Amino acid sequence: MTPENSPSPGTVDASALGLVPAPRTLTVAAAGPYPLGYRTPLTAGPGTEGVARWLRATLGPPTGLPLPEGDGTGTSAGDGSGRGSIGQGIVLELDDSLAPEGYRLAVEANAVRLTGGTAAGVFRGAQTLRQLLGPDAFRRAPLAPGRTWEVPPVVVEDEPRFGWRGMMLDVCRHFLPKDDVLRYLDLLAAHKLNVFHFHLTDDQGWRIEIKRYPRLTEVGSWRSRTKYGHRASELWDETPYGGFYTQEDIREIVAYAAERHIRVVPEIDIPGHSQAAISAYPELGNTDVVDTTALSVWDTWGVNPNVLAPTDDTLRFFEGVLEEVLELFPAETSPFVHMGGDECPKDQWKESPLAQARIAELGVKDEDGLQSWFIRHFDAWLTARGRRLIGWDEILEGGLAEGAAVSSWRGYGGGIAAAEAGHDVVMCPEQQVYLDHRQDGGPDEPMPIGYVRTLENVYRFEPVPPGLSEEAARHILGTQANVWTEVMQNRARVDYQVFPRLAAFAEVAWSALPAPADRDFAAFDARMRAAHYARLDALGVDYRPPGGPYPRQQRPGILGRPLEGEPPVV
């Protein structure tokens, strides 16, 4: 923040600061703005060293400031640029009386003091510090070398509402290269989100290298062509399409997330959404019903009829997959493993003598019970290895293992049923927080899918449904926004669908907001316009402008599937 737009000593314009998500409290500090100079030290107390490394690496390029190591005593040499360069500088500390992700950021007479309940809390506070420095602090090089940087005179006390604040990214329908995934981790961190749900396998592509089953990526990661637009579109992109992450890529992604205090939830989808795996290893499919050797990686969208065969060999195969997955996603970063379980048509099982024999052998009621057997098996398998299974709300059908958690996507209903039954829940109803749904009802929205979900609609989303019992409400772990990429062919299209709505979602997940109807969207919109759009510009995010898409963002003539009216609350 430059001197000419800094608040005067003793005052602060909260709206001009544009903090997103909104902190719990923002008050005026007794001290004036704190200038940062070339010799301003950065002192990392025990346990905060990783945050200090991140701050230097992130603030150094746009500010040109090295932030040398300090000892918190204020004895570092000055450079003549003012009090901030000769005091204690930026001081990072832990205080276990604060909430684990809570923090206190205070501008004092001789320091900017950032205290967190854990290193994660200090890191969340570091994101606020970056925002306080202004949008130019989000760039990669100084715009005006030698400019004065100041921290405005504030005290921020903050902690999140939910412990699970996530985004799911589908890289199966359209693949994002590793660097784009790392960029999205930075964008999640900048919005104080802490869970990255990594959707790695589906009918249209298998995206993670499994060394004992090399054909999963040799065959399963490539498709010969791709539907262009909604599945009802007559258009095709005839270019062969694919890609996958090597195990080294995955380790890098997980480590990068851990440095930003983001948990990664890998998803290996079973028993449906499995045609890519079956195309690589045909014996995984229902060979007594269809010629699985004729199947290829699916080139269109929708619910695929080809599902896994309910055999012991299938279980052993996916145990082998998961053994490598668990090694790549250590428990510290990935306590949950998502096993899908959604949209599994039962037609092949109904026709399969083998599947019907397995139903009789297991003594389950029907094909739903067979799917429950799949999920229960891997719930027990993961539990024995210190992990927890989470799956889409269809895993409730046929009965759910005691320790499994539920991603409630078809609406609130599955989450309500799961929470009332004592299961932990992540609320992500498609009618509210599926960011592939269109942002406006106008004709210029590219490949319009689903209901209109505006920035304000997302801001008024409430993860905890009314009427939930107090005991059940304690099972709501949090919430996440889901990004399905059927009509998002590249990073720019993902950006357009995700932003700016992810900023509104982040505030819903983090901040202690009133009831949806009472939320001050006008104030949120003012903060976006005052500073946050400029931050997204500095980060190179190709978001949807408030006035509608630029011509280059439009996709005229490409069929979508718009749904009219208000989405149902189910």
Side-chain angles (χ1 to χ4, degrees):
M1 180 168 285
T2 55
E4 58 267 23
N5 61 14
S6 294
S8 58
T11 66
V12 61
D13 183 353
S15 62
L17 296 176
L19 296 182
V20 176
R24 296 222 166 187
T25 65
L26 173 68
T27 56
V28 179
Y34 193 96
L36 305 180
Y38 191 77
R39 296 186 185 274
T40 299
L42 171 57
T43 300
T48 70
E49 297 86 354
V51 182
R53 286 193 299 272
W54 180 87
L55 267 173
R56 288 191 180 94
T58 303
L59 295 184
T63 65
L65 303 179
L67 300 176
E69 290 188 22
D71 59 10
T73 65
T75 58
S76 57
D79 65 354
S81 67
R83 170 175 44 79
S85 62
I86 60 174
Q88 296 177 23
I90 301 171
V91 180
L92 310 181
E93 302 170 315
L94 296 182
D95 179 351
D96 61 11
S97 69
L98 298 175
E101 288 188 275
Y103 67 91
R104 184 176 190 271
L105 191 160
V107 173
E108 301 176 354
N110 207 34
V112 175
R113 194 169 301 277
L114 177 50
T115 308
T118 62
V122 177
F123 184 78
R124 308 301 173 219
Q127 299 294 342
T128 298
L129 174 60
R130 187 187 188 192
Q131 289 196 13
L132 289 171
L133 289 172
D136 287 349
F138 289 76
R139 296 191 177 274
R140 297 185 184 181
L143 298 188
R147 69 180 280 187
T148 299
W149 293 85
E150 291 183 335
V151 185
V154 296
V155 176
V156 180
E157 295 183 281
D158 203 7
E159 64 181 76
R161 179 186 179 192
F162 292 109
W164 186 302
R165 308 179 305 280
M167 189 189 89
M168 186 226 70
L169 182 63
D170 164 26
V171 295
C172 299
R173 277 50 178 263
H174 282 97
F175 178 71
L176 280 184
K178 180 200 68 177
D179 284 356
D180 288 344
V181 175
L182 299 179
R183 173 179 176 267
Y184 257 86
L185 290 171
D186 280 329
L187 291 171
L188 297 189
H191 291 82
K192 297 187 173 71
L193 298 176
N194 69 344
V195 175
F196 177 57
H197 177 166
F198 204 7
H199 184 77
L200 288 164
T201 74
D202 216 299
D203 300 302
Q204 295 86 0
W206 184 284
R207 304 294 180 217
I208 178 172
E209 178 188 28
I210 302 297
K211 291 187 181 293
R212 76 184 69 184
Y213 302 126
R215 287 178 58 83
L216 285 172
T217 46
E218 291 171 357
V219 174
S221 70
W222 300 95
R223 58 182 183 253
S224 61
R225 63 175 187 170
T226 300
K227 176 64 71 173
Y228 193 45
H230 184 260
R231 61 180 176 270
S233 166
E234 296 181 356
L235 301 176
W236 294 89
D237 182 341
E238 299 290 347
T239 307
Y241 187 90
F244 66 92
Y245 307 102
T246 67
Q247 294 202 350
E248 290 73 19
D249 292 336
I250 293 291
R251 290 189 179 96
E252 181 182 358
I253 288 167
V254 170
Y256 198 84
E259 289 176 345
R260 287 146 184 80
H261 299 276
I262 293 173
R263 286 177 287 160
V264 183
V265 179
E267 181 177 356
I268 306 296
D269 211 339
I270 64 166
H273 286 292
S274 296
Q275 183 159 317
I278 296 169
S279 71
Y281 292 92
E283 64 271 22
L284 295 173
N286 294 284
T287 57
D288 57 347
V289 176
V290 295
D291 179 8
T292 57
T293 63
L295 296 177
S296 60
V297 177
W298 212 26
D299 55 13
T300 189
W301 322 124
V303 178
N304 188 297
N306 295 297
V307 302
L308 297 174
T311 67
D312 289 340
D313 286 344
T314 299
L315 298 183
R316 301 292 89 77
F317 182 95
F318 278 91
E319 287 172 0
V321 168
L322 287 171
E323 284 174 3
E324 295 193 25
V325 167
L326 296 192
E327 194 274 326
L328 295 169
F329 295 88
E332 299 77 29
T333 303
S334 303
F336 285 89
V337 175
H338 206 290
M339 297 303 297
D342 62 317
E343 297 180 326
C344 178
K346 311 299 193 298
D347 297 337
Q348 289 184 356
W349 289 349
K350 290 177 180 178
E351 297 176 21
S352 165
L354 184 151
Q356 293 302 310
R358 178 49 62 101
I359 289 173
E361 174 192 340
L362 295 172
V364 297
K365 181 180 178 181
D366 53 18
E367 290 77 20
D368 284 344
L370 200 54
Q371 175 163 332
S372 177
W373 168 76
F374 259 106
I375 299 300
R376 286 175 178 273
H377 174 86
F378 285 105
D379 177 77
W381 191 92
L382 288 167
T383 299
R385 289 155 180 81
R387 308 298 181 95
R388 289 188 66 187
L389 181 143
I390 186 169
W392 303 111
D393 55 56
E394 288 97 328
I395 67 174
L396 291 164
E397 298 165 2
L400 184 58
E402 182 178 348
V406 170
S407 301
S408 188
W409 77 273
R410 290 181 294 181
Y412 289 104
I416 292 170
E420 294 287 3
H423 295 284
D424 288 338
V425 174
V426 176
M427 281 292 185
C428 50
E430 67 166 327
Q431 302 88 351
Q432 310 297 327
V433 288
Y434 267 33
L435 299 185
D436 44 301
H437 283 214
R438 59 195 171 129
Q439 302 184 65
D440 189 84
D444 294 331
E445 292 305 305
M447 302 186 199
I449 300 295
Y451 295 102
V452 172
R453 293 288 85 193
T454 65
L455 184 67
E456 182 171 358
N457 292 144
V458 173
Y459 190 68
R460 297 192 188 281
F461 163 62
E462 173 50 47
V464 180
L468 203 61
S469 71
E470 184 177 339
E471 173 64 25
R474 284 196 284 268
H475 285 286
I476 306 297
L477 299 177
T479 182
Q480 74 181 33
N482 293 340
V483 183
W484 300 102
T485 61
E486 286 92 337
V487 298
M488 302 181 211
Q489 300 90 341
N490 51 45
R491 186 178 88 177
R493 279 288 290 121
V494 175
D495 279 3
Y496 180 90
Q497 293 298 135
V498 170
F499 288 99
R501 292 184 294 180
L502 192 71
F505 173 81
E507 185 148 313
V508 168
W510 176 276
S511 304
L513 298 177
D518 299 327
R519 293 176 188 171
D520 191 347
F521 175 74
F524 171 78
D525 187 53
R527 282 183 282 123
M528 292 291 294
R529 294 173 188 269
H532 205 66
Y533 284 118
R535 295 182 191 119
L536 297 178
D537 287 332
L539 289 166
V541 177
D542 203 8
Y543 59 87
R544 182 189 189 275
Y550 296 123
R552 62 176 171 77
Q553 294 173 321
Q554 299 170 20
R555 298 290 186 276
I558 311 300
L559 187 67
R561 184 175 176 264
L563 300 175
E564 301 302 332
E566 281 295 305
V569 178
V570 294

